[in-house]
Amino acid sequence: MTARASIAVRNTATSVVTIDRFIIEQEREHPGASGALSGILTDLALAAKMIANKVRAAGLADVLGSAGQENVQGEVQQKLDVIANETIIKAMDHGGRLCCMGSEEADDLIPIPDRFTTGPYVLLFDPLDGSSNIDVNVPVGTIFSVLRKRSAGARGSLEDALQPGAQQVAAGYVIYGSSTMLVYSTGQGVHGFTLDPLLGEFLLSHPDIRTPEHGKFLSVNTSYERHWAEPVRALMRRYRGLDGKREAMNVRYVGSMVADFHRNLLAGGLFAYPANAKAPKGKLRLLYECNPLAFICEQAGGAAIDGPHRVLDIQPTSLHQRTPIYLGSRADVEIAREMLVAG
Ligand code: FBP
């Protein structure tokens, strides 16, 4: 039974597919598999449940607001940024599957403590994406990317993190919205699991997600329009039907990349964070925001570019590097490629 065939197993009155069961079924498709990748995905699901509990009760517990310090990006860390970061590190550092980690909230690579054994994978993550939205109860998310270790030593190095996104062996995100969902891919399609708060289990709710070829939603922060280069302005006029060359897309922008991306993945659309005069490389980070979502997007039939390049082909040079991004429905990304390259 192939992994795609096993997708036929949906939650029915009599059969419930938990994420653990699904991970094991997918692993069976790889007879040589060590189980390490499955272990990483299972531990991430646990970390997601723990973060969901904190986010859900954020207004009641003293976890809202600033943590009073800045991260390497120069952004003020929110208390929940720090909590989510520590939760993921503690859930992942002792399983013997990772050689090192990288996080939006840590300046350098996070080593595996000497008292724990290491493993053949690297985990890169944004513990709480869209954190500026936490205090106003707008959906936020966690984004993760898994790569195979390349370097010789047991304890990993920057070389292991700085691999093109096309080398990812798994990627995904968790959205803490009206429900908590975990969406991931190991290169065998994209599958979504919804957390049943009573059972405390992620259950298969969105098997084999495919994103529509043509999108209806446009997600971009137009308040930067005056700082965009002319080709970007022309592109955004095109998407909004202002040059009469197509129907206008419906503009939806939450300001949490995971929330905007998730809507567009399911309903069809384009998320863009172009470069602008103030941010010549854009804002979003290549390794733990753009690469994992680009991987999911392509696995669901969509596309992701920075303008001239496929995002997953970009050779990273630093842990926190930024990139412009246009990702979503394939036909809409194609328009961006044509107009930005021809621009
Ligand atoms: P972090 O919270 O992880 O730094 O995420 C960056 C982010 O909040 C994205 O989620 C979102 O798409 C973008 O920045 C919003 O930026 P802007 O306010 O400039 O539109």
Side-chain angles (χ1 to χ4, degrees), residues 75 104 126 128-132 221 224 253 255-258 271 273 283-285 289:
E75 294 161 345
E104 180 184 297
D126 178 354
L128 213 60
D129 173 68
S131 50
S132 58
N221 188 339
Y224 295 114
Y253 191 70
S256 287
M257 185 184 192
V258 165
F271 174 91
Y273 204 109
K283 174 184 182 178
L284 301 170
R285 280 50 60 132
E289 289 175 320

Side-chain angles (χ1 to χ4, degrees), residues 124 145 161-163 285-289 291-292 316 318-319 321:
L124 305 171
S145 165
L162 301 184
Q163 299 180 53
R285 280 50 60 132
L286 176 63
L287 293 187
Y288 43 76
E289 289 175 320
N291 272 344
S318 68
L319 194 55
Q321 76 183 73

Side-chain angles (χ1 to χ4, degrees), residues 39-61:
I40 290 169
L41 295 168
T42 306
D43 290 347
L44 280 167
L46 172 64
K49 292 179 201 173
M50 296 163 76
I51 296 169
N53 282 344
K54 293 284 183 192
V55 170
R56 294 247 161 277
L60 305 171

Side-chain angles (χ1 to χ4, degrees), residues 296-316:
I296 293 285
C297 194
E298 287 200 6
Q299 277 289 313
I305 61 173
D306 68 349
H309 312 105
R310 176 183 176 232
V311 166
L312 295 181
D313 290 339
I314 297 172
Q315 173 54 54

